Each structure stands twice: as C-alpha cells, then as structure tokens.
Amino acid sequence: MRGASRSKNTQILDKRVCMTNCPTLIVTVGLPARGKTYISKKLTRYLNWIDVPTKEFNVGQYRRECVKIYKSFEFFRPDNEEGLKIRKQCALAALNDVRQFLTDEGGQVAVFDATNTTRERRETIMRFAEQNGFKVFFVESVCEDPDVIAENIVQVKLGSPDYTHCNTEEAVADFMKRIKCYENSYQPLDEELDRDLSFIKIIDVGRRYLVNRVQDHIQSRIVYYLMNIHITPRSIYLCRHGESDLNVKGRIGGDSGLSARGKQFADALGQFIQSQNISDLKVWTSQMKRTIQTAEAVGVPYEQWKALNEIDAGVCEELMYEEIQLKFPLEFALRDQDKYRYRYPKGESYEDLVQRLEPVIMELERQENVLVICHQAVMRCLLAYFLDKTAEELPYLKCPLHTVLKLTPVAYGCKVESVCLKVEAVNTHRDRPKNVDVSRQAEEALLTVPDHQ
Amino acid sequence: MSAWLQQEAGSTSSAEAKKSEPRGQEKKCSWASYMTNSPTLIVMIGLPARGKTYMSKKLTRYLNWIGVPTKVFNLGVYRREAVKAYKSYDFFRHDNEEAMKIRKQCALVALQDVKTYFNEEGGQIAVFDATNTTRERRDLILHFVQENAFKVFFVESVCDDPEVIAANILEVKVSSPDYPERHRERVMDDFLKRIECYKVTYQQLDPDEYEKDLSFIKVMNVGRRFLVNRVQDYIQSKIVYYLMNIHVHSHSIYLCRHGESEHNVQGRIGGDAELSSRGRQFASALRGFIKEHIKLSDLKVWTSQLRRTIQTAEELGVPYEQWKILNEIDAGVCEEMTYEMIQNTFPEEFALRDQDKYHYRYPGGESYMDLVQRLEPVIMELERQGNVLVVCHQAVMRCLLAYFLDKSADDLPYLKCPLHTVMKLTPVAYGCKVEMFYLNVEAVNTHRDRPLSRVVGSHLTPCVKESTLTAQMKLMTVSASE
C-alpha cells in the first residue's frame, strides 16, 4: 500500500510498504501487432503512478542495438540460425538488466515485453525468475481481427525505426510477413497445459479475459487495471474551475464561489464544449462550489466526485502564502524541500492525493469522452498519470486557470492540446524557490509567489 | 451563498446530475450507485453445491455495503413455499413432469418479484440464485430482461473437485430445511443423487458460440481460474473484481480500536492524541491476547496513520502496515471538541447529525457514507488476505463490522465498538461468526446511543457519554437500540 508514514511526529521508522514481498516479472505473450507494447507501457505508467517502481524492457530495442540496420522480415524467419542466435542473446541481455533492476535498483515490477510465443522461451524465463526469487505473471494478447491488426500497424509500426527507409506499402507487406514467421511456432497459453502458471489472456482487445491463478495483491490490481482499459478512440478534457474569489485574494483551499471572471470562463467553457461537438460527453466535478458552478454553466448533466476535491491544506486552509511564511515558516520550507510527499499538518500530501484519485483514473480508463472540472493539485496528479510525469515533476506541472487541456491517446502515449479560453485570471502557480533551506529569509521563500490582490 | 442556492434550484437535472444540497439534505445515493443506470439482474449458474448461494449472499452484502440496493432471490426458497414437504431427490429428476411444472412456476414468480423490486422498491441489483443450468431456462430469463429493459450478467460456478463439493455439502446442505433429520450419510447420498439429476441436462456457458454475446464470468474451481466475457459497465467490472478477490479458505479477522487515548479521556472526538497509560496497558494486553490465539508470523497487522493506532501496534513487536484510509472519520470543524462543546457551538449541526447519522457530513469533514467509500479498498484487501488484525477507530470499526455482519446504513453508526475489546470474525457457512474479547483493561465509554427524540432545534440535552449520565438519564438511553 502506498502511504508509508513520513510524519515527523512519530518515532516510527520510514516503512515504505511493499505491495509484494518479492519482485514480480510480468511477461507479455503474443504475435506481433497484438498490443503487447501498448499494454506494457500503459501498465508501467499506471504502476509507477501508484508508486510501485516499475520498468519495461522491450527486447525489440535490444535487437535494434545489436543489429544496427534492419533489412527485412528475413531476419525473423524461423530457419535463420544467425537471427535466432542474436534474438536469444538479446533476450538474455534484457533479462540481465531485469535482474539488476529488481535486485539492485529497488525495482518492484519489471515488464518483459517480447513475443515470448514458444513454451521453450517461456520456460527459460521462468527458470530465470525462479533462480532470482521473482514471481512471474504472464499477460497474453490474442487477436484475430484483421481491422484491429491493420490499425495497429498503421499507428505504431510505420513509424518504427525499422521502417524509416520504406514507404507505407512496403512496410505493411514486410510486417505481415514478419508476423507469419511467428505464427507457425506460436504456442498460446493453454488452460490445461499451463494451468499452474499465473496469467491473464486478453482476447480480442478485451472482449473476453481468461484469468488463471492470481497469486497476490499486485497481480489482482494488474488484472483489474487491464480489464478496465480499452482502445476506443476518445478524448479527455481537463480543466480547473473558473477563477474563484479566494484565487483573486491569493488564498489557498477553501470553498468559495466564482469571481466575475470565473463566471465568464464558465460561459466560455460551455461554448467551447458545444463547438467541439463531442458525442456522449460525461462531465465530472468535485464537490466544491467552484467546480459545480463552472459545470452548471456548461449546461449538461454532471457527476460530483468527492475524490476530485482539492488537496486539503489542513492548518493552512484559506491562508495566503505570505501568511503561511509568517505563521509556519518551517512547514513552508519543508514543503518546498519535498513537495510531493510533504503533508500539510491536518491535511494531505500530493502522495495522498494520488491514492485518493486512483478510482477516478480507473473510471477514466473505462469511459470514453469525459470533461473533468477540478482543481490545481488534482489536475496536476491526473496530468502526471496521462503524461507519465515523475513524483518530482508532478507538483510543479503548469495548470493555469481558464485553460482546457485536451488529451487524446495516440500510439503509445497521449497527445496534448492546450486551449486557452481567453478570459483573464490570476496566476496561481508557485515555482520552487532557489532557497529551500529552513534557515532562509522570508523574501527568499516568497520570491516565487504569484501576484494577487 | 443564497444566490448560489437559487441557481441550484433553477437548473435542469437529469437522473445522473447530483447537485450539492443545502445542509441537512445531503444526497442519499452512494457514490457507487451513481455508476449504474438500468437495474441489473445477476443470474447464477451451476450445479448444486458449487457455491452459488455463498457467492450470491456475499456479493449482495458487499453491494449493499457500498450503497447499491441489492437483493437475493433464491429459487429454493420459492420451491419450499410451493412444495411444503421435501421427500427426496426424485423431485429433481428431469423426467418428473409434475415437478418440472412446479419448478418453472416458481421461477416465474421469482422473476415477477424481481420486477417489483426494481420498478417499485428502488432496487438496483437482483441476484437470481438458482441452478439455471439449461439454455431453455436462461432463454426464459433473457426474454424477461429484454422485455423489461434490465441488464443481465451471468455468474457461473464450475467445479469438479470432489473434495470441495463434499465439504460444501457438509457445511451448508446438511443443515438445510430440506433435510430436517440431518442424518449425514443419508443427506450426502440424497444430495449427490440430486446433483446427478441436473448433470444430465447441464449446458455450460459457451463463450465461443452460443453464449458469446452474453456478459458473464465463469468461476472455475473456487477461483483458481476465471473467464470473463463482455463486461458492459462499471458495476459489472466491480462485481468481477470482487468475485476475483474472495476465497473460501478459513481465516480470521481481528478488529479492535487503538488503546484509550488522551482525547478519549477528556471526551474529545477526533484529533491525533497519544495513548493514555491505560491505553498503553491495553497494547500490552493485546500482545498477550494475540500470542495466545494465533501464530504471530501468520498474522498481518494493519493500523491507521494516527499516533494512537501506531502506538498500539508498536507493542506487538511485529511489522505492521499503515493505511491512511483507516484514519478516523474527519469531524471537520468539530475536530477535538467534546460533545458538550459541539452542542454549545453548533447546536443545529448536532441535531442534524442525530437525525441521520449515516448521511450527515461534518462541515469541512466526512460522513459515515464517505467513510464507507474510503474503506472499500480495505474490505477488498481483507477479502484477499488470510489472518489480519486491524487496529483502527470507532467509526471506522463500525463501517468494517457493518460489512462483515451485514448491518444496514441505519444501524451502522450505532454499532457498539468499545475500547479495549477485540472482535474476532470467522467466516462460517453463509455468514460470519463473531467473538468478543474484552481484555480487562478499563477505559472510558465513547459510545453515544441513538437518541430517542429527533426534533431539530430542540434543546433537549442530547445523550452524553454514559460515564457522566445520571441514573435517570441512563434509563432513557438504555432502551435505544444498538
């Protein structure tokens, strides 16, 4: 569980709670263009966001390191001995790096992203895992829908370093032949033969799942996550509430209503949403007045989530930064030292926020088009998830008022379009000041505080 | 403030829009129930003694706890109504025409009751607990849901492990109303023959052909393997996640509060105080108790992130996990006040809370309903685990207890969870056995009973802690239910 206490008040040692006792090796299985890398990257991003140190190891990368120039599908022919030798070496090199990551670098989950289509290869991996005390969980993707496969190839293969010198037709033709090379020796995970292994078989991009022998909490979370993601094209719109009365005064937290400019923004937002012609849009707000008032102006039904409420600033609620510096200079400095983990006395930390927001993320994954009207810290956490930002970057992501971010999943990541709705607002972004030492002067602490009334 | 309220009143709302209500009328629907639109019929499938009723009851308990109104419709109960005296397995023979007619009739009556539950009683999920082993029967049900625009989700339990089946029969069938004389061997014999009657006509869900467009989960060998097909929505995904996390291995869950804290002694709620000296005594007594009852190496220990639970766990001398979500209910503006102070400073809030303790949210704080949502991952993880000791707080413990003992939202905030007492919960048959252990270390009583009078704005002295009640007032509160 995330959230090992780092409170200065208790004498308890910093116990980072481990989700698993031993590290886990996730092994993807499947023919080319079945979404293995998509799943690997998404899963890695999710696990890191919930604070489980995870890394993916893509054997294709290792192969590209080794064989500088890709010529054609011939490399993958099952009778190409030279090719087979190189590919096996690359797999072993990758496994070596896995061992280093899980044993020496504090990693908890490693995702071994390769076809792993033969039982022999999978047995090699399992022996390796056993030797090193890792648990193994297989994620197999099985898909025969030619449209899905074609779309996959267009989205991610054409842009691959392997095909920079080809035109589209050549690339597609070569790739299809590459897939053929694997087909004959493909041994899918079998309910009977593999009944003692832990795995999830994803069939036809999530239409059906077969789940076998889930061993522990992290595997059950992984299964739950994989069962909630989809690849249907859609967009997620993130924005903050309109400028609030407390924003104008430079105060944090609280539950104030919109300022006049905030109301203008709400109207502009309504118009913007209309103009986008989004089918079946869901609108979510927090349970605080300022987001609700903003949503009201959009004029469509909305759902309120308590989990979307702004970070609780505890004893600092409704204070200005200047007042925090005056009343709690030590706290103020500590926060600047480690903004992600710092917890306001009687309040929350960004780390707490992430845990609180996890069900929202899960539901966002399930949904299609959604507009989330939330708050600065909350929006930073959500953005960090979609754009794979680290805990260090997260608390300093720029989320200005009156700007809508449109996120569209594309290839292995997320396209971001920033739309500023041209209604003026105060700036609420406070950069990290140079001096974060507890002995600093007030001016140094307040150097980066944005202007306000 | 009033301008905003006016705006609220004037706007259009759809079934899904939840506006922030004025004080005292906070929304009564839970967060989870928002996620379902049309009612869903869950249909169990499987031969007898495959755990259908076990899963039905557990699932129903879980869904009700997270605030989704759910009810089980067990066909066996309807059959027993129709055929007063069960004679033998012959009733279940597939060539027994008379019996087949009765059984079909029972199914239709049950489905009618489901319809009433959805359309007139505010139900959102109905669990149709029967064998439903033939396509013919399932087509009947599919026709019913289509006619009424309900969603349907099948849960099939397939098990071929004879030991599991035998254990199942011994645990729940031997004490069934069908077998009043309870002679084990006779019961086992008759029941096994009953199962054979069903096997002849059993048509399993076929994900590749016949049933490929249906939404279902196939649970194989008590959770060893699952096949999940076409999950349609959030509530179905939650159901799948839940079913994948429960198990039938025997284990015990120990629930207790932290030792008595300094705030407890002063009658203050909330805060982050340390243990009093009696609280520290309790922590030592707890260690002795645990050692006596269970191998410490086999036990997981969980605490909140507040000092009083951490200090309690420290005494045990074993590793423990801190969960922020196990923190006590946030009393917002009332944090660290005594009940007398709350009555003096916020008399209206105090009265509102007594009116509807489950839904009432402290200003700037939480409600019991919020707590339940917050605690859901804990419940899920408790289901997955083996033996666990949870050291938590009064409101939190009430929520957890309500889940295990299937208490309603009405009763939940008044469950008795005294300090220095450990509750041991052991799953048994379709429910939970509870044993209470008072560890013989004195503590204040922090329980406030349900008040008899619920008039807003009245200045009747609310019930204060029992320790300061006069004998006369004690009489008034003693009759209030737990």
Side-chain angles (χ1 to χ4, degrees):
Chain A
M1 241 23 65
R2 306 178 294 289
S5 172
R6 285 178 180 73
S7 159
K8 309 159 279 309
N9 302 327
T10 66
Q11 285 114 4
I12 311 307
L13 296 166
D14 180 24
K15 290 182 177 60
R16 157 158 276 171
V17 176
C18 209
M19 287 271 223
T20 58
N21 345 29
C22 41
T24 304
L25 177 59
I26 298 178
V27 181
T28 62
V29 179
L31 294 173
R34 264 52 177 185
K36 298 182 300 298
T37 303
Y38 175 80
I39 290 170
S40 301
K41 290 191 182 247
K42 223 168 144 73
L43 193 52
T44 302
R45 179 161 56 88
Y46 168 70
L47 290 172
N48 278 314
W49 187 75
I50 62 169
D51 228 2
V52 179
T54 306
K55 196 167 166 190
E56 29 134 13
F57 297 83
N58 177 293
V59 176
Q61 299 278 72
Y62 286 78
R63 189 257 307 156
R64 269 175 226 113
E65 276 299 302
C66 201
V67 181
K68 296 294 175 190
I69 301 167
Y70 174 76
K71 292 203 185 65
S72 80
F73 77 95
E74 306 267 352
F75 181 80
F76 292 96
R77 286 178 55 154
D79 55 0
N80 181 344
E81 285 214 25
E82 173 84 28
L84 283 171
K85 231 173 59 172
I86 295 178
R87 288 155 71 195
K88 180 152 191 202
Q89 258 171 17
C90 289
L92 292 173
L95 284 178
N96 213 16
D97 287 352
V98 164
R99 182 208 339 260
Q100 196 174 341
F101 175 66
L102 294 180
T103 313
D104 301 330
E105 293 172 20
Q108 269 187 266
V109 177
V111 184
F112 188 67
D113 176 20
T115 50
N116 299 316
T117 40
T118 60
R119 207 152 263 132
E120 186 203 338
R121 170 58 57 85
R122 298 196 288 269
E123 262 154 37
T124 307
I125 298 172
M126 285 191 289
R127 271 196 305 274
F128 161 83
E130 213 179 328
Q131 274 168 2
N132 289 285
F134 306 147
K135 283 185 183 169
V136 179
F137 188 72
F138 293 96
V139 177
E140 179 175 26
S141 174
V142 175
C143 181
E144 292 312 316
D145 185 338
D147 292 331
V148 174
I149 297 169
E151 178 63 25
N152 199 323
I153 297 178
V154 165
Q155 272 221 17
V156 292
K157 303 301 178 189
L158 296 184
S160 148
D162 291 342
Y163 295 112
T164 46
H165 58 285
C166 300
N167 68 39
T168 308
E169 263 144 45
E170 287 169 354
V172 173
D174 184 275
F175 201 82
M176 297 302 270
K177 291 198 191 103
R178 201 153 119 178
I179 298 179
K180 275 256 163 302
C181 296
Y182 285 88
E183 270 174 11
N184 285 336
S185 57
Y186 182 20
Q187 294 162 304
L189 289 172
D190 184 79
E191 273 182 56
E192 276 313 299
L193 296 173
D194 298 304
R195 65 176 171 280
D196 290 328
L197 302 183
S198 297
F199 66 83
I200 176 171
K201 203 193 255 277
I202 303 172
I203 299 154
D204 287 340
V205 205
R207 189 173 46 77
R208 196 189 311 162
Y209 304 91
L210 183 70
V211 181
N212 198 58
R213 285 194 187 259
V214 170
Q215 296 170 4
D216 60 16
H217 178 87
I218 191 74
Q219 288 179 19
S220 125
R221 287 295 281 278
I222 289 166
V223 164
Y224 184 46
Y225 181 71
L226 292 176
M227 284 174 50
N228 279 319
I229 61 180
H230 65 80
I231 57 168
T232 312
R234 50 85 174 248
S235 290
I236 296 169
Y237 298 80
L238 294 181
C239 72
R240 291 167 66 188
H241 52 82
E243 184 193 68
S244 72
D245 289 323
L246 284 181
N247 285 145
V248 172
K249 301 197 180 103
R251 295 181 177 280
I252 66 172
D255 192 13
S256 60
L258 297 181
S259 67
R261 298 196 294 197
K263 295 201 185 92
Q264 266 185 279
F265 166 72
D267 290 328
L269 182 64
Q271 283 166 18
F272 170 71
I273 293 297
Q274 291 280 27
S275 70
Q276 291 276 298
N277 256 321
I278 309 159
S279 70
D280 248 340
L281 179 71
K282 293 257 161 72
V283 178
W284 296 351
T285 69
S286 69
Q287 281 176 4
M288 299 181 135
K289 272 186 262 191
R290 48 200 190 277
T291 56
I292 294 171
Q293 286 180 14
T294 310
E296 278 291 309
V298 177
V300 293
Y302 56 91
E303 283 172 43
Q304 297 174 19
W305 290 71
K306 182 164 197 273
L308 284 173
N309 279 8
E310 182 58 316
I311 192 172
D312 183 355
V315 299
C316 299
E317 276 286 315
E318 305 205 41
L319 297 182
M320 292 187 274
Y321 286 120
E322 292 86 343
E323 290 170 339
I324 301 177
Q325 169 60 28
L326 202 62
K327 288 186 168 166
F328 309 106
L330 175 63
E331 296 294 326
F332 203 41
L334 287 173
R335 185 160 205 254
D336 282 336
Q337 287 180 3
D338 188 358
K339 198 173 175 188
Y340 182 73
R341 279 175 236 288
Y342 171 82
R343 188 181 288 145
Y344 282 108
K346 302 215 168 132
E348 294 177 299
S349 62
Y350 271 95
E351 199 177 12
D352 296 328
L353 249 197
V354 163
Q355 181 171 10
R356 173 162 49 94
L357 285 168
E358 204 257 354
V360 177
I361 287 295
M362 203 60 94
E363 194 51 25
L364 274 173
E365 286 293 348
R366 287 195 58 78
Q367 293 287 348
E368 297 187 8
N369 294 314
V370 187
L371 164 65
V372 184
I373 303 174
C374 54
H375 305 266
Q376 183 166 250
V378 168
M379 188 161 158
R380 284 171 171 157
C381 293
L382 297 179
L383 211 53
Y385 167 74
F386 287 108
L387 304 183
D388 204 14
K389 300 293 181 183
T390 64
E392 281 64 48
E393 296 168 295
L394 189 162
Y396 296 101
L397 293 175
K398 283 212 162 78
C399 295
L401 286 166
H402 298 187
T403 306
V404 181
L405 290 182
K406 176 180 177 182
L407 304 166
T408 312
V410 73
Y412 296 137
C414 229
K415 181 173 80 167
V416 195
E417 293 163 74
S418 176
V419 183
C420 175
L421 290 193
K422 300 220 171 9
V423 178
E424 291 249 353
V426 296
N427 173 21
T428 57
H429 184 91
R430 192 180 153 262
D431 269 318
R432 189 174 196 262
K434 282 220 168 53
N435 191 343
V436 296
D437 201 64
V438 301
S439 62
R440 66 188 177 178
Q441 304 291 347
E443 310 87 68
E444 293 174 287
L446 297 174
L447 206 54
T448 54
V449 171
D451 295 325
H452 58 87
Q453 255 178 25
Chain B
M1 173 80 169
S2 56
W4 167 67
L5 282 176
Q6 271 180 324
Q7 191 183 11
E8 296 303 298
S11 22
T12 54
S13 68
S14 78
E16 304 222 287
K18 311 295 174 282
K19 308 289 187 288
S20 194
E21 305 284 351
R23 302 284 307 126
Q25 286 165 48
E26 257 92 24
K27 55 186 182 302
K28 307 290 185 180
C29 312
S30 85
W31 60 286
S33 71
Y34 293 157
M35 301 295 190
T36 64
N37 0 26
S38 20
T40 304
L41 178 63
I42 299 178
V43 181
M44 307 300 295
I45 301 176
L47 295 173
R50 262 55 176 181
K52 296 184 299 299
T53 302
Y54 175 80
M55 281 194 284
S56 303
K57 290 189 182 231
K58 225 172 142 75
L59 191 54
T60 300
R61 178 161 55 90
Y62 167 70
L63 290 170
N64 277 313
W65 185 76
I66 63 171
V68 182
T70 308
K71 193 169 167 188
V72 179
F73 295 81
N74 178 295
L75 208 51
V77 171
Y78 285 80
R79 190 254 309 152
R80 268 173 230 118
E81 268 298 305
V83 180
K84 296 297 174 188
Y86 173 75
K87 291 203 186 63
S88 83
Y89 76 94
D90 282 318
F91 183 82
F92 292 97
R93 290 175 54 152
H94 68 283
D95 53 1
N96 182 341
E97 279 207 28
E98 168 89 28
M100 291 296 264
K101 244 176 48 180
I102 296 176
R103 290 159 72 193
K104 180 168 180 184
Q105 196 47 33
C106 288
L108 292 171
V109 172
L111 287 176
Q112 274 310 304
D113 285 352
V114 165
K115 185 169 169 180
T116 309
Y117 178 62
F118 284 156
N119 292 342
E120 295 166 38
E121 295 171 25
Q124 272 187 266
I125 311 243
V127 183
F128 190 60
D129 178 17
T131 50
N132 298 315
T133 41
T134 60
R135 290 212 167 104
E136 185 196 341
R137 171 58 55 85
R138 298 197 290 264
D139 284 343
L140 180 92
I141 298 171
L142 283 168
H143 183 72
F144 165 80
V145 297
Q146 266 154 26
E147 254 184 359
N148 290 284
F150 302 145
K151 281 186 177 170
V152 67
F153 186 74
F154 293 91
V155 177
E156 180 174 29
S157 175
V158 177
C159 182
D160 48 26
D161 184 339
E163 279 181 29
V164 173
I165 296 167
N168 207 326
I169 296 177
L170 282 177
E171 219 184 296
V172 290
K173 303 301 180 189
V174 170
S175 53
S176 150
D178 288 341
Y179 299 107
E181 79 290 358
R182 284 156 215 231
H183 185 248
R184 273 201 199 174
E185 255 139 54
R186 219 183 78 77
V187 172
M188 184 69 80
D189 185 62
D190 185 277
F191 205 82
L192 288 171
K193 292 207 184 85
R194 200 153 120 177
I195 298 179
E196 290 304 313
C197 296
Y198 283 91
K199 274 192 183 166
V200 180
T201 51
Y202 185 15
Q203 293 162 303
Q204 280 200 33
L205 288 178
D206 176 16
D208 297 314
E209 280 305 311
Y210 197 86
E211 277 96 1
K212 68 179 188 293
D213 292 326
L214 297 183
S215 299
F216 64 83
I217 178 172
K218 217 191 241 273
V219 179
M220 287 167 272
N221 279 335
V222 206
R224 175 68 42 84
R225 197 187 318 152
F226 302 91
L227 181 81
V228 182
N229 200 57
R230 292 194 186 263
V231 170
Q232 294 170 2
D233 61 18
Y234 174 80
I235 203 70
Q236 288 179 17
S237 101
K238 285 296 281 212
I239 290 167
V240 163
Y241 184 44
Y242 182 72
L243 290 175
M244 285 173 51
N245 280 318
I246 61 179
H247 63 77
V248 294
H249 306 131
S250 123
H251 65 138
S252 290
I253 293 166
Y254 298 82
L255 296 181
C256 72
R257 290 167 66 188
H258 52 83
E260 183 192 68
S261 73
E262 298 291 353
H263 274 12
N264 287 144
V265 172
Q266 293 166 26
R268 292 178 182 280
I269 65 172
D272 192 12
E274 303 202 329
L275 296 181
S276 67
S277 62
R278 297 196 296 194
R280 285 195 291 275
Q281 265 185 278
F282 166 72
S284 308
L286 184 61
R287 183 198 179 128
F289 169 81
I290 290 297
K291 275 185 140 153
E292 215 183 277
H293 274 79
I294 191 163
K295 236 171 56 170
L296 273 175
S297 57
D298 261 350
L299 182 72
K300 288 245 165 80
V301 179
W302 296 351
T303 69
S304 70
Q305 281 176 3
L306 295 172
R307 272 185 272 199
R308 49 200 190 276
T309 57
I310 294 172
Q311 286 179 0
T312 309
E314 273 291 304
E315 274 301 307
L316 299 176
V318 293
Y320 54 90
E321 281 174 46
Q322 296 172 19
W323 292 65
K324 182 168 198 267
I325 50 187
L326 282 173
N327 281 9
E328 181 59 315
I329 192 171
D330 183 355
V333 298
C334 300
E335 275 284 315
E336 309 207 52
M337 292 189 173
T338 62
Y339 286 121
E340 290 90 343
M341 285 165 70
I342 303 175
Q343 166 68 18
N344 290 331
T345 327
F346 305 108
E348 203 182 286
E349 294 295 325
F350 201 47
L352 283 174
R353 187 161 202 252
D354 280 341
Q355 277 201 325
D356 187 359
K357 198 172 175 188
Y358 182 77
H359 292 102
Y360 171 84
R361 187 183 286 148
Y362 281 109
E366 294 177 297
S367 62
Y368 270 96
M369 193 168 83
D370 295 329
L371 248 196
V372 163
Q373 176 174 4
R374 204 203 319 139
L375 286 168
E376 203 253 352
V378 175
I379 288 295
M380 204 60 96
E381 196 50 26
L382 278 172
E383 286 293 347
R384 284 195 60 81
Q385 293 284 350
N387 296 316
V388 187
L389 164 66
V390 185
V391 181
C392 55
H393 306 266
Q394 182 166 250
V396 169
M397 189 162 159
R398 283 171 171 157
C399 292
L400 298 179
L401 211 55
Y403 166 75
F404 286 107
L405 304 183
D406 203 13
K407 297 291 183 186
S408 67
D410 246 7
D411 293 335
L412 189 162
Y414 297 102
L415 294 176
K416 280 212 166 78
C417 296
L419 285 166
H420 299 185
T421 307
V422 181
M423 298 222 201
K424 177 179 177 183
L425 303 164
T426 315
V428 73
Y430 295 137
C432 224
K433 179 172 82 169
V434 195
E435 294 164 78
M436 275 185 66
F437 298 93
Y438 172 58
L439 294 197
N440 257 321
V441 179
E442 289 239 1
V444 297
N445 175 16
T446 57
H447 184 87
R448 251 189 98 245
D449 268 319
R450 200 194 298 265
L452 299 173
S453 161
R454 296 190 190 194
V455 179
V456 181
S458 89
H459 293 284
L460 275 177
T461 319
C463 305
V464 273
K465 292 193 338 289
E466 200 175 281
S467 53
T468 61
L469 282 176
T470 60
Q472 187 185 23
M473 293 200 63
K474 259 192 184 148
L475 278 172
M476 271 175 70
T477 56
V478 145
S479 53
S481 56
E482 190 187 284

